[in-house]
Amino acid sequence: MSDVVEKTLTALPSLLSLDSQSGAGKLSSTSKLGGLIRSITELTSKHEEEKLINRELAAIKEQVSSPNTSMRQMKEIMVRAIYCEMLGYEASFSYIHAIKLAQQGSAIEKRVGYLAVSLFLNESHDLLLLLVNTVLKDLQSTNLIEVCMALTVVSQLFPKDMIPAILPLVEEKLTNPKEIIRRKAVLALHKFYLIAPNQVQHIHSKFRKALCDKDPGVMTASLHIYLQLIKENPDSYKDLTGSFVAILRQVVGGKLPVDFNYHNVPAPWLQIQLLRILSLLGKDDQSTSELMYEVLDESLRRAEMNHNITYAILYECVKAIYTIYPKSELLEKAAKCIGNFVVSPKINLKYLGLKALTYVVQQDASLALQHQMTIIECLDHSDSIIKRETLEVLFRITNVKNVAVIVEKMLDFLKLCNDDYTIIDLVGKVAELAEKYSPNNEWFIQTMNVVFSLGGELMHPDIPNNFLRLLAQGFGSEEEEQQQLRVFAVDSYLTLLESDTAHLPQRFLQVISWALGEFSYLKDGLEPCKVTKLLAKLLDERNVTSESRSWILSAMAKLSAGPGAAALALQVSERYSSSLDTVLRQQALELLHLSQDPELHARVLPHGAAWDSFEVDSSLSFLDSFVSEALSQGAAPYKAPHQRQEELRQEKALSLEPYSISLPVSLSSCSITDRQSPTLLSMSSSLSGNSNELKAGSSTLKLEGVKRVWGKEGYLHQQDAVEEAAQVEEAATPALPLSPQQGGAESQQTHGDLTVVEQEKQKLASSLFVGLGSQNSTFLMGKSDSTSQQFRRKTRAADSTSSGVSERSSSSSHSSCSDFLHNNLLEDSQNSLNTQKIGVSNGTHEGPVTQSFQTANGIPEEDGEELGNPLPVIVDSDVASIGTETSKETSPFLDAGMVLVQPCSPQTELRDFVQPGSSGITQTSLRSQFPPELSQLPHSDISLLSSDHSLSLSACRAYRDDALLFVIILSNCSQSSTNGLSVQLDCKQLKVASLRGNALENLPAHSMSVCWYALLMEEPHTQVTVAGSVSYRAVPGHTQTLQFTDKLFLTDFIRPLTLSTEEYGKLWLSFSQDVRQNLKLIQGEGDPLRATLSALKEQLQLHIVDIIGSEGIVACRLLPDSPCLLHCRIHGGSLAVWLRSPLLSLPDCLLYYCQKTLEEC
Amino acid sequence: MIKAILIFNNHGKPRLSKFYEHYSEDTEQQIIRETFHLVSKRDENVCNFLEGGMLIGGSDNKLIYRHYATLYFVFCVDSSESELGILDLIQVFVETLDKCFENVCELDLIFHVDKVHHILSEMVMGGMVLETNMNEIITHVDAQNKMEKSEVRAASEARVLSIIILI
């Protein structure tokens, strides 16, 4: 074999040298490529292949650089280079030649050149700039195929900055008579939209035209864009729903030419796309959803189960039906469909059926019950993908009763799994379930032990953190039970440490050592000395990382008080006090001191101290005397690192500024496009970021290792809330087993005689699906119903998204939409009786259906109506109209909002928000609640965020000069007072500068209170969603939460930046990057530039610094203090704008709003 | 969106790789290797969908593949694509190849990588499905080939030999 290789290798160069002569056509690329491939297949080792390819590459290199190589030969060479690249060998020398080939070759060679370019290069490659001209030329070519090639390469890769250069040409292609060109142009624009959305902002109308194109192919292509646009912002495209429905109806009805059929199904991919778009549009929107019921029904009917592709349509259809506003008739059909999928022998369909179940079970658990036997079978399926999907379904139906079985199944799967991604995902899920539904302490600790050992270093760091916090803080149950949990933990960890520890992951070791250090004193008769010994043993193990060592050392420090332990501590600290790792060394020395001084130890590390008793003096005031002494002795005052750096820079840097600033008056466009090197300002901003990190790092040293994880913010009052939740749970649980109907699980058990295997499966089924019956669907809502949660923590961000909208007391816990769906009449009538008796209108909501509406506009939907509830709740149309109005109100343009300065004058339309169970609350009455400092500020209209039967939340935005105030008005509309209100706001993208009124002892009946958050946007975003919750107690002992969401826009955070022209010029030069964009000019009477700028000023709060002739300079800042400078100039009927800012994404975001404003003017 | 299209044989030798998102050269190779590793482990009677794989994985992406004789056709897509739809798209792709090459086999793919790429680019453009009708695809590809032919003929009447080979 090796002989053959040897021969081939020696033959190769001669072969290659042959065809460098022209006219050697006989030895075509095929044979040369063939030779190469043949010799590669003959090779046995990777090493030989490498050698061969390298030779080949060397030969190619020689050829491409030879001047005699013709374009045709170049084409052949490129194919070979493509082959080598595909095998993973870099042929970067050929990139430039690929571009050259695309540039100079005839069509046939050009095609290969373009192909090579699109395979070799990426969007940010420098060489790509050389291609721009070629593309430009080909786009203008009269040859159809050249235009097609250019469009194809553009949609694969094109430099973002150069889009404006070819955009007009691509736009023009939208009107090309050839449909293939129109189609490719649409896709190219889609690509542009993906990489630079603001560049194609102005051609949205052309997308609409493409949607109405007479050729279905072009229309199909335009759907890609619409899917993207609607995904980002469904509200703006609701008006198109009718058109999409009409298109789908025509397609389904077979109105398209037969060419579009695939296996006799009319344009299946088009149908799929349309169904996806419809489901996005109809989500949480009843009126829009109503438009599509009919066509969905029709496509369900038309799609017969006969071919793979019809299943694809059916699946999308089912998904759409479950996503949009529900209609029982359709849901029924969809459920049947899912059933067919799940039981199908075709494995792909089974997979999709399970996938559909995962999101359906939350709305309709009975479906899982129907298919429980199939689910059980899937659990043991040979395909691990199916198994995983099944676990996913089980995860969604977990409750207190079946948690143990489900978690066991998940852990079984985990033990056999070796895919990192799956492990991370599943471990997180197990931890979540264990925390939420744990039946008892012992189980919880054991499960978490398995989680830690399986998850290892992969798992999300939140898991150990949350676990430790739970141990430390407790979960609100009895103190005794809490101690029991800790003792369990200590016990199991001691056992673990006594056995072999080598296989334990580092994270787990850290958890173990922390828990031992903290809680081993709780166990009676356990000598600290014994624990210390175990820890010391652990410390000496080789595979323990230094991070874990430092956790262990701090645990030892906590234990070092005992007599035996002190001696051991001394020994350990001696060894590590000479460690090369400074952190370890410091801890060892601390350990030494603490173990020798019991008094100090007792003071620093008291046993069982409450978490919040630690006071951390972050200002380091205890050093003040030391500092002043040093200063008086002539020491230099402290400077932050970034200050030092900056000074250093100032000394070194060349001054790029002119000696006298003569700039702004002559600000011509060319001086502005000049790129300056990054200057001081941007530099210092990045440095200040570093300094923050540095500061954070240094403070950790003060905070005694592990403990700093637990800050002191706000745990105190949560404890109460959690306790109450536990009480609620106690009240709720005993009621359940008594309920009249038991789950379908048990009825299944009574069925005829069964084989042993089947019986076993049945048993498993009954343990898995216990508690899923429709009668206790509140429990199924376990996910949303936090009463059933075993361990609760308010602060977790995840809770706010996954947990329910509102809790309610067990007495009225029966009304949910799934009840309605299952004609649970008995329960219903009971429910209405209940509610009537209590005299509370049915304003609380449960279940995913209504939940989703809550998030949409915060307006309670009428499940009263659904339930046939006779209560005088709300008139539908009112609610709907309020809903739409509020959503309009929060439009990014502060239309009425900004103008409305006088707080108490009712000059804007007053709108009554009729609350269930309360008399009308008007804007004025809400506004009159504003404290004086707020009422002076300009603010937006007040809109209703969310409400339930006792509390209603409204919000408005007040524009303070230094921050955006997000004002939440809490009004108690019930007859009794509520207690213990606390507001939590969660938005990672924004920074909360200050807040007021977020915790309230007591809110009397029919009164209001105002809470506000001062928000800053440090990173630009066009819009951010803020979510939050209010927890309160209406009835003593029952904590309820009310969730809300609202959107804030970039424009809310923009403030005018008042500058003089000189300052502007100076600042302009200090930023280097600029973004250019053409904007629409407002054509009216007077100067168009002035009109346009003042429109921008009005709407976006910009400051017009100066207008000189046809140029204008404008400045604004993003809160807190990121400037953005605009230089505008009239240029051929449009307004050319250059933007500069230290924040790279700010210009883009701002441009988006500028364009929008001007479009609407 | 389609993130990548890979074809490799039963031994993991890549026969075509097309990425619609940028990855570095090394990552691309790693993805090909990992994908092969994942796909080749699977039996014949399991589903054609795969989730996971750290590189191309993440939570949103999934692999959809089909196995024909000696070749695996793998599409990596995000959640905005329909699983079964893509599965049929692979079928369309293979049928088109079959028609273009007349009983396509692995060797055709090896020796005509460029041609396969051209066919693919008529089906999928920039990660978006452009055309799903086999006849349309073939028409477009043929139109290009025809143009090339005439061009070649015009350009080099003399070099008849090379024409034959190129066609």
Side-chain angles (χ1 to χ4, degrees), chain A residues 72 111 183 259 308 351, chain B residues 51 88 131 133 144 159:
Chain A
R72 197 169 46 79
R111 187 157 76 145
R183 197 194 284 198
D259 294 351
N308 193 19
Y351 169 83
Chain B
E51 287 164 36
D88 266 48
E131 179 60 74
N133 184 330
Q144 294 181 22
R159 286 183 266 160

Side-chain angles (χ1 to χ4, degrees), chain A residues 31 68 72 87 130 148 172 217 255 338 403 454 460 536 539 556 606 671 686 755 779 799 808 973 1057 1109:
Chain A
S31 62
N68 322 335
R72 197 169 46 79
L87 292 179
L130 298 175
C148 279
E172 187 190 296
K255 299 271 163 48
I338 294 180
V403 65
L454 287 175
H460 201 268
L539 203 56
M556 289 174 91
S671 75
S686 72
T755 64
F779 236 94
D799 277 1
R808 50 154 92 188
C973 42
L1057 178 63

Side-chain angles (χ1 to χ4, degrees), chain A residues 34 37 72 86 88 106-107 111 122 155-156 183 190 224 259 262 269 276 307-308 348 351 383 421, chain B residues 19 22 29 42 47-49 51 58-59 79 85 88 110-111 118 125 129-131 133 144 148 151 159:
Chain A
I37 291 159
R72 197 169 46 79
M86 184 176 71
S106 62
R111 187 157 76 145
N122 62 61
S155 71
Q156 172 72 24
R183 197 194 284 198
H190 174 251
H224 289 302
D259 294 351
Y262 175 77
W269 285 279
R276 290 204 166 214
H307 185 269
N308 193 19
N348 287 337
Y351 169 83
D383 186 353
Y421 166 67
Chain B
F19 290 86
H22 173 60
Q29 289 304 315
R42 298 182 54 79
C47 67
N48 298 54
F49 314 118
E51 287 164 36
S59 53
S79 64
D88 266 48
I110 300 172
F111 289 114
H118 294 318
M125 187 168 147
V129 179
L130 175 71
E131 179 60 74
N133 184 330
Q144 294 181 22
E148 282 172 15
E151 191 175 271
R159 286 183 266 160

